[in-house]
Amino acid sequence: MDDPWQWLALAGLGAFHGLNPAMGWLFAVALGLQEGRRAAVIRALPPIALGHALSVLVVVAGFAVLQLVVTTAPLRLVTPALLIGFGLYRLVRGYRHRLRVGMRAGFAGLTLWSFLMASAHGAGLMILPLLLGMLAPAQLMALSLCGPGAEMTGPVAALGSAAAGLAVVLVHMAAMLAMIAVIGLAVFETVGLGILRRGWVNFDLLWAGALIGTGVGFLLLG
């Protein structure tokens, strides 16, 4: 992933995920207001970020396993189809079935909640276009590590994909954590959940549009 713009896009995507209240900052603020302490907001951030990262990691790991049996070419067609299909599904179905967890949830409960929310929103799918863009250099690096005479076999390609995927997950999680921390603490310290009564952005609709737009853009430009 030699292009610095790809790293910036990846960090931007993580920030966009963190901006969505359904990804966790709203829950963190609610916990902080319930306990009346800033520490409660801060304590909720790591498990929320971890659950989101695990959801993305599941998609990335599945993608790496696919490298054992298929080449990159068909994945460049499957990826936008998945994004557009899931975006349309969310656009039609909406987010009526909310995932709930008790307000006294511990680290494990918050991690599980965040994992399920990120998975339900297809967060990992939006990573795939960027992951595809960094496969070639990562796989070449994996090939060089295998020594002279090595060939680009399925396991070598999977190794490169796994390395690229790990970098993607870490950068994405860091950007997402930074965003939910900034927004969560700012809302807690200033307006609290009263912001919901004064104005709201339909992030569900925005998210579905982002999925579809990413898929269409990758199909046209990939």
Short mmCIF file of all heavy atoms in Angstrom, two decimals, residues 2 12 17 21-22 50 65 77 96 114 121 136-137 146 165 189 193 215:
data_model
loop_
_atom_site.label_atom_id
_atom_site.label_comp_id
_atom_site.label_asym_id
_atom_site.label_seq_id
_atom_site.Cartn_x
_atom_site.Cartn_y
_atom_site.Cartn_z
N ASP A 2 1.53 1.48 -1.11
CA ASP A 2 2.53 2.53 -1.21
C ASP A 2 1.92 3.92 -1.32
O ASP A 2 2.57 4.90 -1.01
CB ASP A 2 3.44 2.26 -2.42
CG ASP A 2 4.19 0.94 -2.28
OD1 ASP A 2 4.52 0.61 -1.13
OD2 ASP A 2 4.42 0.27 -3.30
N GLY A 12 -9.76 7.94 6.98
CA GLY A 12 -11.01 8.67 6.82
C GLY A 12 -12.22 7.77 6.95
O GLY A 12 -13.24 8.16 7.53
N HIS A 17 -16.80 5.84 10.17
CA HIS A 17 -17.47 4.82 10.98
C HIS A 17 -17.66 5.32 12.41
O HIS A 17 -18.71 5.10 13.03
CB HIS A 17 -16.65 3.53 10.98
CG HIS A 17 -16.74 2.77 9.70
ND1 HIS A 17 -16.19 1.51 9.53
CD2 HIS A 17 -17.30 3.08 8.52
CE1 HIS A 17 -16.41 1.10 8.30
NE2 HIS A 17 -17.08 2.03 7.66
N PRO A 21 -23.34 7.43 15.15
CA PRO A 21 -23.67 7.16 16.56
C PRO A 21 -23.97 5.70 16.83
O PRO A 21 -23.78 5.22 17.95
CB PRO A 21 -24.89 8.05 16.82
CG PRO A 21 -25.44 8.36 15.47
CD PRO A 21 -24.28 8.39 14.53
N ALA A 22 -24.44 4.97 15.81
CA ALA A 22 -24.73 3.55 15.99
C ALA A 22 -23.48 2.72 16.22
O ALA A 22 -23.54 1.59 16.68
CB ALA A 22 -25.48 3.00 14.77
N LEU A 50 -12.71 -2.24 20.06
CA LEU A 50 -12.27 -3.63 19.88
C LEU A 50 -13.34 -4.45 19.17
O LEU A 50 -13.03 -5.23 18.25
CB LEU A 50 -11.95 -4.25 21.24
CG LEU A 50 -11.54 -5.73 21.23
CD1 LEU A 50 -10.29 -5.93 20.38
CD2 LEU A 50 -11.33 -6.24 22.65
N VAL A 65 -8.60 -16.02 3.43
CA VAL A 65 -8.82 -17.45 3.18
C VAL A 65 -9.23 -17.69 1.73
O VAL A 65 -8.83 -18.68 1.10
CB VAL A 65 -9.89 -18.01 4.14
CG1 VAL A 65 -10.31 -19.42 3.75
CG2 VAL A 65 -9.36 -17.99 5.57
N LEU A 77 -14.87 -8.23 -8.86
CA LEU A 77 -16.26 -8.16 -9.29
C LEU A 77 -17.21 -8.48 -8.14
O LEU A 77 -18.28 -7.87 -8.01
CB LEU A 77 -16.50 -9.15 -10.44
CG LEU A 77 -15.75 -8.88 -11.75
CD1 LEU A 77 -16.02 -9.98 -12.75
CD2 LEU A 77 -16.14 -7.52 -12.32
N ARG A 96 -34.61 -1.53 11.65
CA ARG A 96 -35.71 -1.61 12.60
C ARG A 96 -35.39 -2.50 13.80
O ARG A 96 -35.90 -2.29 14.89
CB ARG A 96 -36.97 -2.11 11.89
CG ARG A 96 -37.52 -1.12 10.88
CD ARG A 96 -38.82 -1.65 10.28
NE ARG A 96 -38.61 -2.85 9.50
CZ ARG A 96 -38.26 -2.86 8.22
NH1 ARG A 96 -38.06 -1.70 7.58
NH2 ARG A 96 -38.10 -3.98 7.56
N SER A 114 -20.70 -4.08 20.24
CA SER A 114 -20.05 -3.35 19.15
C SER A 114 -19.78 -4.26 17.96
O SER A 114 -19.95 -3.85 16.80
CB SER A 114 -18.75 -2.73 19.66
OG SER A 114 -18.08 -2.03 18.64
N HIS A 121 -24.09 -3.53 10.26
CA HIS A 121 -23.96 -2.39 9.35
C HIS A 121 -23.03 -2.68 8.17
O HIS A 121 -22.85 -1.82 7.30
CB HIS A 121 -23.44 -1.16 10.11
CG HIS A 121 -24.49 -0.47 10.92
ND1 HIS A 121 -24.96 -0.98 12.11
CD2 HIS A 121 -25.16 0.69 10.73
CE1 HIS A 121 -25.87 -0.16 12.60
NE2 HIS A 121 -26.02 0.86 11.80
N ALA A 136 -1.37 -6.33 -4.10
CA ALA A 136 -0.19 -6.62 -4.93
C ALA A 136 1.12 -6.37 -4.19
O ALA A 136 1.97 -7.28 -4.12
CB ALA A 136 -0.25 -5.82 -6.23
N PRO A 137 1.35 -5.18 -3.60
CA PRO A 137 2.60 -4.99 -2.88
C PRO A 137 2.75 -5.89 -1.67
O PRO A 137 3.85 -6.37 -1.38
CB PRO A 137 2.57 -3.51 -2.47
CG PRO A 137 1.15 -3.10 -2.58
CD PRO A 137 0.57 -3.93 -3.66
N CYS A 146 9.54 -15.56 1.35
CA CYS A 146 9.55 -17.01 1.19
C CYS A 146 10.86 -17.52 0.59
O CYS A 146 11.07 -18.74 0.51
CB CYS A 146 8.37 -17.46 0.32
SG CYS A 146 6.77 -17.22 1.13
N GLY A 165 -4.28 -7.10 5.61
CA GLY A 165 -5.50 -6.98 6.38
C GLY A 165 -5.26 -6.54 7.80
O GLY A 165 -6.02 -5.74 8.36
N GLU A 189 -19.60 16.47 27.62
CA GLU A 189 -19.22 17.67 28.34
C GLU A 189 -20.09 18.88 28.01
O GLU A 189 -20.13 19.84 28.77
CB GLU A 189 -17.76 18.03 28.03
CG GLU A 189 -16.74 16.99 28.49
CD GLU A 189 -16.59 16.95 30.00
OE1 GLU A 189 -17.20 17.79 30.70
OE2 GLU A 189 -15.87 16.06 30.49
N LEU A 193 -27.32 14.06 25.79
CA LEU A 193 -28.22 13.43 24.81
C LEU A 193 -29.34 14.36 24.37
O LEU A 193 -30.16 13.98 23.53
CB LEU A 193 -28.81 12.13 25.39
CG LEU A 193 -27.79 11.03 25.68
CD1 LEU A 193 -28.50 9.77 26.17
CD2 LEU A 193 -26.97 10.70 24.44
N GLY A 215 -19.45 0.82 -3.67
CA GLY A 215 -19.51 -0.29 -4.61
C GLY A 215 -19.53 0.17 -6.07
O GLY A 215 -18.80 -0.36 -6.90
#
